[in-house]
């Protein structure tokens, strides 16, 4: 129900004139404090742990770099030199092995039609259209009857589809469903 109401609100507010300018709306990427309070997982900002262990109120990019002992610096230089030697010897095969999903996704040549996987069962074409209409050139969203969890999204041009694919790759429609987008096979 929350996904449905969020999709409806997103659809109705997108492009709404506000102070003479059209609103741009999109799904949020993290949980708001209001939702966290509702489900009981809320932690006040002053009690939240900093992921980088930084000083209170100072962004990590403004903090001075941490000082390391000279011995640690030498070890890091040696490790970097070893890595460079390994990469030169192995070529690009090491990088390809680290990203198996990306290499699978890029096996298909660019196409104006995207193939969506790992969709929750409650997602419908209207919700996906609302999500993808923020990208120019959207032509059609097609669900596959009898096969929940997959859909096709068609754009006018391959470049437009590529932008949407790169932007929404891994987008979480629910906390457990991370959408996977690839180019559809050309017929």
């Amino acid at each position: 129900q929350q996904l449905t109401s969020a999709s409806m609100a997103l659809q109705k507010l997108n492009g709404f004139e506000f102070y003479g300018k059209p609103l741009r709306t999109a799904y949020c990427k993290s949980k708001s404090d209001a939702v966290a309070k509702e489900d009981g997982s809320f932690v006040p900002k002053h009690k939240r742990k900093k992921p980088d262990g930084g000083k209170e109120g100072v962004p990590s990019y403004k903090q001075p770099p941490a000082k390391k002992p000279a011995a640690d610096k030498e070890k890091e230089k040696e490790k970097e030199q070893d890595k460079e030697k390994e990469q030169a010897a192995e070529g690009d095969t090491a990088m390809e092995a680290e990203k198996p999903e990306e290499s699978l996704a890029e096996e298909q040549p660019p196409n104006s039609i995207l193939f969506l996987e790992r969709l929750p069962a409650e997602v419908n074409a209207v919700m996906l259209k609302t999500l993808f209409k923020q990208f120019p050139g959207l032509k059609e969203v097609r669900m596959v009857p009898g096969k929940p969890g997959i859909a096709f999204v068609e754009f006018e041009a391959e470049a437009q589809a590529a932008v949407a694919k790169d932007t929404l790759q891994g987008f979480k429609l629910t906390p457990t469903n991370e959408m996977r987008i690839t180019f559809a096979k050309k017929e």
Side-chain angles (χ1 to χ4, degrees), residues 71-97:
D72 287 347
K73 288 181 182 178
E74 289 176 14
K75 287 180 184 178
E76 283 183 21
K77 285 182 182 178
E78 288 175 9
K79 286 180 184 179
E80 287 178 21
Q81 290 174 351
D82 290 342
K83 284 182 185 178
E84 289 173 6
K85 289 177 184 176
E86 287 176 14
Q87 286 178 353
E90 294 177 10
D92 291 335
T93 56
M95 291 179 75
E96 290 174 7

Side-chain angles (χ1 to χ4, degrees), residues 1 13-14 20 28 34 42 47 97 121 129 162 171 174:
Q1 182 193 15
L13 286 175
N14 205 12
C28 66
F42 176 72
K47 290 187 178 180
K129 188 172 185 177
F171 182 82
T174 66

Side-chain angles (χ1 to χ4, degrees), residues 89-155:
E90 294 177 10
D92 291 335
T93 56
M95 291 179 75
E96 290 174 7
E98 290 176 11
K99 300 179 183 178
E101 281 194 314
E102 282 187 27
S103 63
L104 291 175
E106 293 182 31
E107 285 180 13
Q108 296 300 325
N111 191 349
S112 61
I113 301 173
L114 299 175
F115 177 62
L116 280 54
E117 299 175 280
R118 300 180 190 160
L119 302 174
E122 62 268 12
V123 168
N124 59 36
V126 174
M127 292 176 189
L128 289 175
K129 188 172 185 177
T130 302
L131 181 62
F132 280 89
K133 78 176 185 179
Q134 62 184 311
F135 301 100
L138 177 66
K139 284 176 70 176
E140 182 182 17
V141 174
R142 294 186 302 268
M143 301 297 292
V144 179
K147 292 193 176 186
I150 61 173
F152 292 93
V153 178
E154 186 174 355
F155 285 87

Side-chain angles (χ1 to χ4, degrees), residues 11 26 39 58 90 97 99 135-136 158 162:
Q11 187 175 11
D39 69 13
V58 179
E90 294 177 10
K99 300 179 183 178
F135 301 100
E158 290 176 0

